[in-house]
Amino acid sequence: GVLNYYFPKSSFLSKLIYKNKKIVAVSSAVKNKIIQEKFAQNVTYIYNPIDFEEIIKLKEEFIPETQNYILAAGRMNNDIKQFDQLIIAYSKSNLPQKAIDLVFLGEGKNQEKYIQLAKNLGLENRVKFLGYQENPFPYYKNAIFTVLSSKNEGFPNVLIESLAVETPVVSFDCFSGPNEIIQHGENGILVDNQDFEKLSQAMNTFVEDTKLYKNCKSNAKLSIKHLETETIGQLWLDLFKK
């Protein structure tokens, strides 16, 4: 699972190396999993920080040519982001009929497969692949919402970066992070984990329920205020004082 990114695959080795160390996890769920797996006892968590001042500048750098779209972002080297399933979910939603595009940022060996799938579904003019972007913030800012359809995550920056520029989010309640970032109905929609039918429905809801959407958009930035660099920096300083 997701702990393989942080620990050796051998649980014996993990316990040997980390048992008496202080571990800082990237989310509360990862912290609980480490304790549950008995890899270590002294575990805390500190979220990834976000630099609001920098983002204010970056989001205004340019205006994307594509307008009226939802956004997905991430590497395409494996299927963890499940972009193929996302394209299918989008094709089943009402968005293509409403001329709302699905825009991807990112690249990798699976990109060709995704382009072909969009073609097969007759959506080559609606699903757009913009590759890796040095500055993704103008794309986040101008999106209607950002969507996350991953199998698993650590603490998804995609959601935080989107909320930072006041763009609400739709995400699976996957392990780990989304349910620590999204307050359902307040800054986004949290979808039952891996239920792609419900993901399509959530896309429709966000486009059709203007009241809900406006509420989530107005709360977006404030909902991640606790992640600003100074606050997170202080948590690290406090940790080292102990």
Side-chain angles (χ1 to χ4, degrees):
V2 85
L3 290 193
N4 290 344
Y5 298 119
Y6 305 101
F7 293 96
K9 278 205 167 67
S10 152
S11 126
F12 172 75
L13 258 184
S14 293
K15 287 169 187 171
L16 196 67
I17 299 167
Y18 293 106
K19 195 85 174 157
N20 301 313
K21 298 268 196 303
K22 184 167 189 70
I23 303 284
V24 180
V26 76
S27 73
S28 172
V30 170
K31 170 198 151 172
N32 295 339
K33 187 89 171 142
I34 292 166
I35 293 168
Q36 188 190 331
E37 298 285 344
K38 298 187 169 62
F39 287 158
Q41 287 122 343
N42 190 357
V43 190
T44 184
Y45 69 93
I46 296 177
Y47 293 134
N48 295 336
I50 189 106
D51 187 342
F52 283 108
E53 276 178 35
E54 181 67 5
I55 287 170
I56 285 166
K57 282 180 254 166
L58 289 171
K59 71 177 185 178
E60 303 299 345
E61 216 170 67
F62 58 86
I63 294 166
E65 279 176 35
T66 308
Q67 293 294 314
N68 215 30
Y69 62 92
I70 65 167
L71 186 73
R75 284 198 293 249
M76 298 179 177
N77 290 329
N78 55 41
D79 276 329
I80 286 177
K81 304 284 178 198
Q82 303 186 119
F83 288 151
D84 49 352
Q85 301 283 348
L86 173 57
I87 294 167
I88 294 166
Y90 163 78
S91 78
K92 291 178 178 172
S93 77
N94 303 335
L95 275 59
Q97 289 84 344
K98 292 179 187 282
I100 296 169
D101 294 339
L102 168 58
V103 167
F104 285 102
L105 301 186
E107 54 201 13
K109 62 178 195 297
N110 286 350
Q111 185 171 331
E112 274 313 307
K113 184 175 83 171
Y114 302 149
I115 291 171
Q116 197 49 55
L117 173 63
K119 269 196 188 133
N120 295 347
L121 292 166
L123 290 171
E124 63 268 37
N125 298 326
R126 287 270 158 252
V127 182
K128 297 180 175 162
F129 296 87
L130 303 187
Y132 169 76
Q133 295 291 330
E134 186 83 15
N135 175 10
F137 291 102
Y139 295 99
Y140 282 121
K141 177 182 183 272
N142 290 280
I144 301 170
F145 60 86
T146 298
V147 61
L148 185 138
S149 56
S150 303
K151 273 183 201 160
N152 52 55
E153 285 284 345
F155 189 71
N157 285 337
V158 165
L159 299 182
I160 299 159
E161 290 172 351
S162 181
L163 292 166
V165 296
E166 296 169 56
T167 297
V169 292
V170 169
S171 171
F172 277 148
D173 185 4
C174 64
F175 184 89
S176 78
N179 64 18
E180 296 175 46
I181 298 166
I182 299 173
Q183 295 99 52
H184 183 69
E186 291 302 318
N187 63 352
I189 299 177
L190 208 52
V191 179
D192 288 351
N193 194 19
Q194 306 310 309
D195 190 332
F196 280 95
E197 205 172 306
K198 288 220 171 116
L199 191 66
S200 289
Q201 289 163 10
M203 291 181 198
N204 292 341
T205 300
F206 236 180
V207 167
E208 287 156 13
D209 187 337
T210 1
K211 194 178 169 202
L212 171 74
Y213 177 77
K214 279 181 178 160
N215 181 52
C216 289
K217 191 166 178 66
S218 66
N219 292 331
K221 191 176 176 184
L222 202 61
S223 73
I224 54 161
K225 188 93 175 72
H226 63 292
L227 299 177
E228 61 188 345
T229 316
E230 293 76 11
T231 312
I232 299 292
Q234 194 54 55
L235 292 175
W236 280 102
L237 290 172
D238 294 346
L239 186 78
F240 291 122
K241 281 179 197 157
K242 282 172 188 171

